[in-house]
Amino acid sequence: MSLTIIFIGVTVAISFLAWNNGSILYGFTMNPYQVFHKKEVWRMLTSGFIHSGYAHLGFNMFTFYFFGRVVEQIFSYVLGPSANATYIVFYVSAVIISDLPVAYRNRNNPNYNSLGASGAVSAMVFSSILFMPLNDICLYAIFCLPGFILGIVYVIYSYYQGRNMSDNINHEAHLYGAGYGLLFSLVIYPEAGPAFFEQILSYRPF
């Protein structure tokens, strides 16, 4: 079975469990104060497997389903037997690393909380863009753009929203996840970098 499907199943199950058990929801949420001052380091990982509601869970898992499967297939093609282990390391580490800068900055703020797989999902999206930058990504099945153009728009949007923080969403995790997705993919398959630029230079919008 696809590892993406397994991760989605685990995330959905744990999210539903947390919604019905406040102690699990609290114990799994990423609270930097608890992480750094009380050494509850597991929160950096478990927070990626719980969500704030149906919309949050649905959007993240819907996106993860499409892009995660693409990355899984690409890893299988370029890495062979080590693909599954690498994919697991990629996703798990993306959950942690995408939240780490914001967590460190808020380590003395006991009221800061964060949850969701958005950073890890962003890593998957941008890994896919690195390997296939000209593939169209469609928003609401209507508005479609090549992946690398949508990626640029996404980075700009996340940067400004992260500075604004008016919607209570951790946009910085999206940004760090995107960067980590590119970096991880380049480390495991450096040839993806030159291939990316070759595809970009061949792009003809009309």
Side-chain angles (χ1 to χ4, degrees), residues 15-197:
S15 291
F16 271 84
L17 186 64
W19 294 341
N20 291 285
N21 189 318
S23 62
I24 293 177
L25 182 62
Y26 172 75
F28 279 26
T29 297
M30 196 278 284
N31 180 286
Y33 187 87
Q34 302 290 339
V35 170
F36 286 94
H37 292 276
K38 297 191 177 180
K39 310 304 179 185
E40 296 181 2
V41 294
W42 65 83
R43 291 173 179 265
M44 297 297 301
L45 176 60
T46 57
S47 61
F49 291 89
I50 55 174
H51 289 74
S52 61
Y54 290 107
H56 189 205
L57 175 65
F59 179 80
N60 272 344
M61 294 303 98
F62 179 80
T63 305
F64 182 33
Y65 175 76
F66 286 103
F67 288 96
R69 288 165 68 231
V70 170
V71 173
E72 196 174 348
Q73 290 169 6
I74 292 170
F75 280 16
S76 179
Y77 177 75
V78 301
L79 298 175
S82 64
N84 285 347
T86 304
Y87 184 83
I88 292 170
V89 170
F90 180 32
Y91 186 79
V92 170
S93 61
V95 170
I96 298 169
I97 290 174
S98 62
D99 268 341
L100 194 56
V102 177
Y104 182 77
R105 194 165 62 250
N106 288 278
R107 64 191 183 280
N108 295 319
N109 180 3
N111 297 316
Y112 184 92
N113 294 286
S114 178
L115 73 172
S118 299
V121 172
S122 292
M124 290 292 170
V125 171
F126 276 77
S127 176
S128 172
I129 290 173
L130 176 68
F131 287 107
M132 298 187 299
L134 301 186
N135 275 26
D136 280 346
I137 299 176
C138 297
L139 301 176
Y140 306 109
I142 299 174
F143 183 64
C144 299
L145 286 172
F148 80 97
I149 293 178
L150 189 63
I152 293 170
V153 173
Y154 181 88
V155 167
I156 294 172
Y157 172 77
S158 293
Y159 173 76
Y160 281 103
Q161 285 298 107
R163 289 171 64 89
N164 186 23
M165 289 295 289
S166 61
D167 56 5
N168 296 318
I169 296 174
N170 187 1
H171 290 279
E172 288 187 71
H174 301 176
L175 199 57
Y176 293 126
Y180 181 68
L182 295 174
L183 179 62
F184 187 96
S185 300
L186 285 170
V187 168
I188 65 164
Y189 193 70
E191 293 90 340
F196 172 84
F197 287 107

